[in-house]
Amino acid sequence: MTNHYIDLKNSDVILIMGSNAAEHHPIAFKWILRAKEQNGARLIHVDPRYTRTSARCDYHVPLRSGTDIAFLGGMIHYILTNKKEFRDYVVNYTNASFIVSEDFYFKDGLFSGYDSKARKYSKDTWVFEKDAKGIPVRDMTLTHPRCVFQLLKKHYSRYTMEKVSSITGVSKEDLTKVYAEYSATGVKDKAGTVCYALGWTHHTTGSQIIRTMSIIQLLLGNMGICGGGVNALRGEPNVQGSTDHCILYGNLPGYLKMPVASQDTLTKYIEKCTPKSSDPQSANYYQNYPKFFVSFLKSMFHDKATKENGFGYSWLPKMDDGAAYSLMHLFDEMYKGKIKGLFAVGTDPSVSSPNTAKVRKALENLDWLVGENIFDNETYCFWKGPGVDPAKVKTEVFLLPASASMEKEGSQSNSGRWVQWKYKAAEAPGDAIPVGEITIKILDAVRALYAKEGGKCPDPILNLKWDYKDSKGRFDVLKVAKQINGHFLKDTVIEDKAKGTKTEFKKGQLVPTFDMLADDGSTASGNWIMAGSFDAAGNNKMMKRGKDDPTGLGLYPNWSFAWPVNRRIIYNRASCDLNGKPYNPKRKLLEWTGETWVGDVPDGPWPPQADKQKGKYPFIMKPDGLGALFGPGMAEGPFPEHYEPLEGPLSKNPLSGQLINPAIKFFNSDLDKVANADAKFPYVCTTYSCTEHWCSGALTRWQAWLLEAMPELYVEIGEPLAKEKGIQNGERVRVSSVRGNVECVAMVTKRFRPFLVEGKTVHQVGLPFNYGWLHPKDGGDSTNFLTPTVGDANTFCPEYKAFMVNVTKL
Amino acid sequence: MEITRRGFLTLSGALGSGVALSSLGVDLGPAKAYAAEINKMQRVMAARQVTTVCCYCSVGCGLICSVDRNTGKIFNIEGDPEHPINEGSLCAKGAGFFDLTEANKYRLRKVLYRAPMSDRWEEKNWDWALERIARLVKDTRDKGFVTRNAKGELVNRCETIGHLGSSNVDNEECWLMSVACRSMGLVYIDHQARV
C-alpha cells in the first residue's frame, strides 16, 4: 500500500476492484465503511461476481474476468476527453511533459522493439529526448505531439465506450457512471483511492492492470495524498515483510537486485544498478544504492567482507542474464527431474500452485523434501495422495514441527508497511520450535559438514555471519532484528551541514536511519529500508503502542514503526502544491513552513519544488523525480494495453491483432495444455477465497469451527447457465479444464450473470481455492487442477483468475 | 497489562447478554453460558496478558492472549481494543485464533520422517533429522553446483535445490531464510508473495 488501512477512512470515492474486501479483509472494510459514514464517500465495486462487498457498496458493476485494462483504459480515455485531469499536478509532478523518442511507436497491439521469436522487447526506443545536459526535454503546455500526455491520449483514444463495453461485458451506462464518479476526484479537495487484491495480480497482465490504475491516480492527483494512493490489500500476515526481505529469486533484502552473470564484479553491478540523473531538482534517492548494497554484504559476511574482496560479492550466486527462477520455473524444472531437493516452509504448493497435476507429479521426482509447518498438508504428504503409490516414491520427507505465531516473539509487517512487534504468549507444543530456529539449526549442521569435509564453494557458507542464538542455544530474535536494522562497524561522526550539527556514534551502535549507511564497509545493515526500526540507543520502535494522532488523520506515528523512516503515506510531498502548501487544507498531511515540513515524515527534507536551488520533485525514488505516466520499466510496453487471458472465450482481440500478452513465457511440458476459444471449455472461470478459510486452507481446514462454516468445495453457477445445463442447486458436478478436473457441489446463484461480449453471451463461473484432499476427507481437492502454468510477464504471478472450463452434472 | 476499560466493557457486556438470555426462561443453556462467561472473565482478569498480531491476512489486527499464570497455557484470545486498526474487532478467522494453539489436536508436535518407498511417517528426534538433512543438502549441493555457466561466467550457484516460503513467519525469520539461501547459492527461491 502507498497509504495504510486506517487512511481508507479519508477517501471520498473508493473503487474496489479485483477484491472482495468485505469477506477477505473484513477489518479493512470497516475503514472503507467509515469513509462512507463520515465523509459520505461513494463506494464502487467492480468485480465479475456480486459479493458481500457489492452488497455494502453504493453499487456493483460486473465485468468479465481478465478485462480490467480495457475497463481502466476506458477511464483514462474518459478523463482525457472530458479534461477531468488535475492539470497542475499532471504538469508538475508527472512525466506528462517529457518528449518521447521519435523512434517509439505503437502499432496493432505491439510497441516498437518487439522480437517475436524471443517474445521480448528491446526497450531502446522507449526513451525520452534529453538536452545537452542530459535532462529530459519538457513541454509544459503538454501539446507537443510526442510528449507523454499526447501519446497517452492517442493510445487510449481507441478505448471508446463501445469498444470497452463490448470487451468487458459492462454496459455503457455503468461505464459512464463509474468513470464520471471516479474522475470527479481530480480536484484539489477530493481524494479517490483504489483497493485491489489478487483479482488484479492473478493475470498475465496483472502488473499492467495496477499500472493502468496508477496512471489514473497520477492524472487525478490522487497519489501521495490522504485518502488516495494505490492500495493492495494483501493476503498473508507478513507478506509485506517476506517481500521486503525478498525470499524471492530476483531480489535481495530491501529490493536490492539479485546480481546476474554478466555483472562479474562489484563495480559493474553497482554501475548497472545505480540510477543517474542530471537534473539538479531530482533527488534520485537510489543514487545511494551502493551504500545499501555494501551494507547488506557487510551484514552477511561481516569481517570477511573487505574492500579487497569486493565485500564478498563473488560469493553471491548469479542468475543467468534474462533468466527467471520463480515457483512455476521451479516446478517445471522439477517435473523435468532437475530439482533434487526442496524446502517448503509454511506453504502448501500442492494445493496452491497452478496446474496441480503437474506439481504433484513433479514432487515425485525429488530425492528429498523438508517441510516446516504447524500442521501437515498435501505437499508434505504428496507420497500418499490420490493416485500415488507410496511404494514407487523414492523421496525422503522430513516434516519439522514449528511454533505458531503466538508462540514466538518477532515482528510482522502489514500491507500499510506498519512493522508491529508481537510477543511470545506460550511455549509451542511438543518438540516444535520457531522457523527461525529451524533455519539456524539446519544451516549450523550444513556449516559443520563444510568445515569438516570441505566441498564445493564453501566460502559463502563458512564466511556467513551466523551467530543468532542466545546463551541457551535458542533463536535470539532481537539479535536478528538489530542485524536487519544495522550497526556502525567503527566509531563514526555524522555531520549534518544543513543543521550545522555533528553526532558521534560508537562502533557497534545501531544505525538510526538509512541516511547514515556507507559504501566503504563502515556500516552493516541487513535490510536498508528497516534501518531506523531501532533508535541509536537500542530502543525497538516496532514495539511502540502510542495512540496519539496529532494530524487527526489516523497516521498514529507512535504506533509501531512504518518503513521507510516511519513515513505513513509515501510520495507525500505530492499532497502539496509547488510551494509546499497542502492542496486540500481539510486533510493537511504535510505543509512547508518556510523552513521545515510539518505533518507526516516527508519524502526527504528538501524544500518544495518551487525553490529552484534546493527544492526537489516529489517522487524521489524515480530517477527523474516524477510520477511515470510513461513507464519504460515494464516487460510489455510503457503504456498498458488490453490483451486477452491465455485462455479466454475470444479468438481475436477486439482491440488489435495481438490476442494475448506478447511478452509472457510459455511452459511447454506435456502437462501444459491450453484451450483458448474451445467449444469443449466454453465458460470463463475464476477463483477466490472465503472469510472462513485462508489461502490453500492449510491452516483453517484443521480448525473445526471454521471448517463447519465452510466445509467443502463448490462452484458458483449463474441461474441462466444452470437452467441451460439442467443443474439444480446442491447437486454434484464436475468442473473441467483441458488440464484436469474437480468434483464439487453446484451453488446456483444470482451472483454470476452472463456477459454480452462481442455480441455473444458468455457465462462465467467461479470456485474457492481453499480445499485439498488431506483434510477434511470429503471436502474436495485443489481447484488448481484447472489452472494453467502461465504468469504475468513481469512478475510470473500465475493467471488464477481467468481460464476456460466446462461444467457437467455427475 | 491491567484490566481497565476493556475488562469493564467485556464484563458489562457479558452481564447484559447473560441477563437478556436467561430472562427468556425455559432453556438452562444461557444460564450455563453466563456462568461460564463469569468464570472465564475471572480467569481473564487474573491472567498474564500478551499482545500479538493476527496470522491471516495483512491488515495486522492486534490480539490479546490470556495466559494462565499457573500452567503457562493460553486459554483465551480476543481482539485488542487498544489496537488502532481493529479496535478490538476481528473477523471469523481471527476470532478463531485460539484454535491454532496447542489446544488443536492436529498440531504437529514431533519431527516426522518418511523413508523412501515407505507408506508412513515415523517419529524422529531433532538431532537425527538435522544431521540427515544437512547430509542431503551438502551432497545435493556439491553434486549439482554450477561454478561457471554455459558462457563461462562465474555464477557460484546451486540449481538443484529449491526453497519455498514463507509469508506467514516473522520478519526476522524471513531475513534469516533469505540470507541462508543465498549463502548456499540457491537461485530457485520463491514464496506466497508471488502467488
Side-chain angles (χ1 to χ4, degrees), chain A residues 374-378 380-381 384 399 698 702 774, chain B residues 106 108 121:
Chain A
I374 68 170
F375 297 116
D376 193 1
N377 69 34
E378 290 77 5
Y380 311 136
C381 262
K384 55 175 175 176
L399 181 47
W702 298 103
L774 181 62
Chain B
Y106 295 110
L108 295 172
W121 291 115

Side-chain angles (χ1 to χ4, degrees), chain A residues 437-457:
Chain A
E437 191 161 325
I438 301 176
T439 307
I440 290 171
K441 287 180 168 168
I442 289 177
L443 195 60
D444 276 349
V446 172
R447 280 158 64 91
L449 284 183
Y450 275 94
K452 194 173 145 203
E453 302 170 4
K456 288 278 174 67
C457 195

Side-chain angles (χ1 to χ4, degrees), chain A residues 207-260:
Chain A
S207 308
Q208 289 283 32
I209 298 174
I210 298 156
R211 234 190 80 68
T212 322
M213 192 67 210
S214 308
I215 291 173
I216 292 172
Q217 291 297 68
L218 286 172
L219 288 174
L220 299 176
N222 279 331
M223 292 302 278
I225 67 169
C226 267
V230 174
N231 293 304
L233 310 183
R234 305 190 70 182
E236 298 240 354
N238 195 32
V239 66
Q240 191 58 54
S242 60
T243 312
D244 298 339
H245 293 300
C246 301
I247 327 175
L248 297 163
Y249 72 87
N251 292 91
L252 295 165
Y255 303 95
L256 301 171
K257 294 190 171 74
M258 192 65 200
V260 293

